[in-house]
């Protein structure tokens, strides 16, 4: 069974930064990534708010640089999906489709998936007008008309943020009242740039090279209409990739792992970082910051363990 000091699950911005720090600290380090290095950021065309790239950088290219930097310091990056994490005698046994690994500490950086509408045009226009992050993409639509889908706090807060940048925001909501907290609602109703399409759903997103219109349907009358828009921002919830953590950590109401300021969880040696953790800013830079914090905390954790424990655990499991 292969053994590493630090195993990192997820090769997004959080996981790759943790790998850079852990490997540079001379800890044997592995990153398991089930899909493409970079996670969410690899799917976006232009990242304009990550320091060091004043002209912006393509998300996929940035992710490749993260991986290059982690490998340079000796981190291994394996294209494997982790299927379980088990606490065994003070170490962690990880199972992937390829086999089993032993780690002294685990940094869980599996991120979260934005819920999708599942309508025609949505996937095709991601990064070309369909967005799940106003902070990330709002600036691309300065002085244009945009649509926001959703009625909770995230949707309305993001609409308020967008209203500072764009010409108009139409909030499309399938009910006739918002779910957002009262104060957020009050601000939205007082904002002249925001209007509402109540009892309405988006049925399709259309355009040419980028989004040009949304096809809307009134859920009561069934009537359809087309609205010109440069972008459709979708905020209908997020699903954290937290299933591996069941029984090992505590969760907030949204299914995100609760951590302390060092990214520690209720299980010693298990850290959770990035979009998967509670109260994350859900930005690349904050995910990277979490990764660095967790790697430093993991290094400290391993340094405090009785010498040779990981080796003796590996020998015990091998025997
Ligand atoms: C379209 C889009 C544009 C964005 N633009 C910006 C922007 O411009 N600026 C900005 O700051 N933020 C942006 N964001 C947000 C930013 O991408 C996220 O906050 C950030 O990627 C979170 O990083 P993470 O490492 O926590 O998680 P993720 O990026 O979600 O990475 C998690 C990784 O873990 C892997 N994984 C999950 N489960 C397993 C498993 N069991 N085994 C192995 N691997 C696993 C996933 O495949 C994924 O690669 C954008 C997000 C999206 C969707």
């Amino acid at each position: 069974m292969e053994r590493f000091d630090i195993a990192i699950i997820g090769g997004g911005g959080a996981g790759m930064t943790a790998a850079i720090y852990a490997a540079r600290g001379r800890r044997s380090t592995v990153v398991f990534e089930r899909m493409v290095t970079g996670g969410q950021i690899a799917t976006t065309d232009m990242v304009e708010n990550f320091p060091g790239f004043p002209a912006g950088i393509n998300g996929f290219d940035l992710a490749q640089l993260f991986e290059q930097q982690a490998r340079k310091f000796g981190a291994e990056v394996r294209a494997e999906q982790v299927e379980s994490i088990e606490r065994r005698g003070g170490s962690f046994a990880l199972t992937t489709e390829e086999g089993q690994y032993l780690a002294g500490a685990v940094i869980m950086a599996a991120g979260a998936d934005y819920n999708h509408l599942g309508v025609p045009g949505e996937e095709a226009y991601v990064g070309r007008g369909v967005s799940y992050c106003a902070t990330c993409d709002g600036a691309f639509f300065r002085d244009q008309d945009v649509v926001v889908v959703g009625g909770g706090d995230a949707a309305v807060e993001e609409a308020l943020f967008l209203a500072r940048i764009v010409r108009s925001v139409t909030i499309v909501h399938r009910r006739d009242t918002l779910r957002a907290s009262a104060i957020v609602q009050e601000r939205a109703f007082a904002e002249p740039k925001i209007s509402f399409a109540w009892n309405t759903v988006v049925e399709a997103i259309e355009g040419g090279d980028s989004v040009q219109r949304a096809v809307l349907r009134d859920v009561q009358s069934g009537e359809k209409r087309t609205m010109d828009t440069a972008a459709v921002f979708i905020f209908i919830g997020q699903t954290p990739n937290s299933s591996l953590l069941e029984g090992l950590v505590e969760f907030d109401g949204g299914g995100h792992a609760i951590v302390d300021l060092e990214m520690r969880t209720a299980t010693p040696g298990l850290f959770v970082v990035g979009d998967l953790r509670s109260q994350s800013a859900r930005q690349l830079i904050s995910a990277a910051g979490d990764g660095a914090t967790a790697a430093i905390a993991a290094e400290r954790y391993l340094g405090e363990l009785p010498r040779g424990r990981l080796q003796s655990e590996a020998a015990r499991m091998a025997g």
Side-chain angles (χ1 to χ4, degrees):
M1 182 187 296
E2 268 189 281
R3 149 180 94 68
F4 293 91
D5 291 331
I6 300 179
I8 297 163
I9 303 172
M16 279 303 171
T17 308
I20 291 167
Y21 274 72
R24 195 161 176 271
R26 292 280 175 261
R27 289 291 182 183
S28 59
T29 303
V30 63
V31 180
F32 295 107
E33 170 52 57
R34 66 178 177 187
M35 290 197 295
V36 181
T37 302
Q40 295 169 55
I41 208 66
T43 68
T44 193
D45 184 41
M46 190 53 80
V47 183
E48 285 193 319
N49 55 4
F50 197 77
F53 301 96
I57 181 165
N58 173 269
F60 184 81
D61 293 346
L62 181 58
Q64 295 302 304
L65 291 175
F66 288 166
E67 179 170 340
Q68 205 179 311
Q69 201 168 347
R71 284 188 189 276
K72 177 183 142 186
F73 293 116
E76 290 199 29
V77 182
R78 304 254 172 110
E80 293 173 44
Q81 170 159 341
V82 176
E83 289 165 349
S84 71
I85 310 172
E86 210 184 306
R87 190 89 169 116
R88 277 200 207 154
S91 301
F92 294 90
L94 303 187
T95 306
T96 75
E97 67 263 10
E98 305 287 327
Q100 272 213 327
Y101 301 85
L102 196 67
V106 170
I107 299 177
M108 181 68 171
D113 297 325
Y114 289 94
N115 294 343
H116 289 202
L117 290 171
V119 300
E122 181 179 14
E123 298 303 324
Y125 284 110
V126 169
R128 294 188 296 137
V130 169
S131 172
Y132 304 88
C133 177
T135 319
C136 314
D137 297 331
F140 297 120
F141 304 100
R142 189 169 297 282
D143 299 325
Q144 299 185 61
D145 302 312
V146 304
V147 160
V148 162
V149 185
D153 274 318
V156 181
E157 280 173 10
E158 299 282 50
L160 284 162
F161 173 83
L162 286 167
R164 301 210 298 267
I165 302 168
V166 301
R167 183 168 54 197
S168 79
V169 181
T170 304
I171 297 182
V172 174
H173 186 38
R174 63 190 162 148
R175 303 187 207 289
D176 60 359
T177 50
L178 298 172
R179 275 183 296 107
S181 52
I183 187 138
V184 176
Q185 291 196 34
E186 279 165 25
R187 286 191 197 129
F189 292 136
E191 170 54 60
K193 283 189 183 175
I194 295 180
S195 59
F196 296 85
W198 300 110
N199 298 311
T200 300
V201 293
V202 173
E203 280 233 316
I205 299 165
E206 298 176 347
D209 285 343
S210 58
V211 168
Q212 290 169 340
R213 359 174 232 286
V215 179
L216 308 181
R217 179 171 57 84
D218 187 307
V219 291
Q220 291 177 334
S221 66
E223 196 180 305
K224 286 191 189 177
R225 67 187 164 106
T226 299
M227 175 177 279
D228 288 344
T229 183
V232 180
F233 287 88
I234 301 164
F235 304 110
I236 54 169
Q238 236 200 5
T239 306
N241 294 319
S242 59
S243 56
L244 300 183
L245 298 174
E246 294 292 341
L248 292 170
V249 312
E250 289 165 23
F251 296 102
D252 67 14
H256 298 88
I258 294 173
V259 296
D260 68 9
L261 287 175
E262 292 184 52
M263 309 299 134
R264 294 181 296 199
T265 65
T267 298
L270 175 60
F271 303 81
V272 179
V273 292
D275 280 18
L276 179 52
R277 75 151 167 106
S278 185
Q279 295 186 310
S280 163
R282 292 177 198 159
Q283 291 292 288
L284 184 61
I285 188 70
S286 55
D290 284 2
T293 303
I296 292 166
E299 160 61 32
R300 194 174 308 132
Y301 167 80
L302 291 172
E304 286 166 1
L305 287 181
R307 283 175 76 84
R309 201 187 65 185
L310 190 57
Q311 283 85 343
S312 55
E313 184 65 22
R316 190 181 69 75
M317 289 173 70

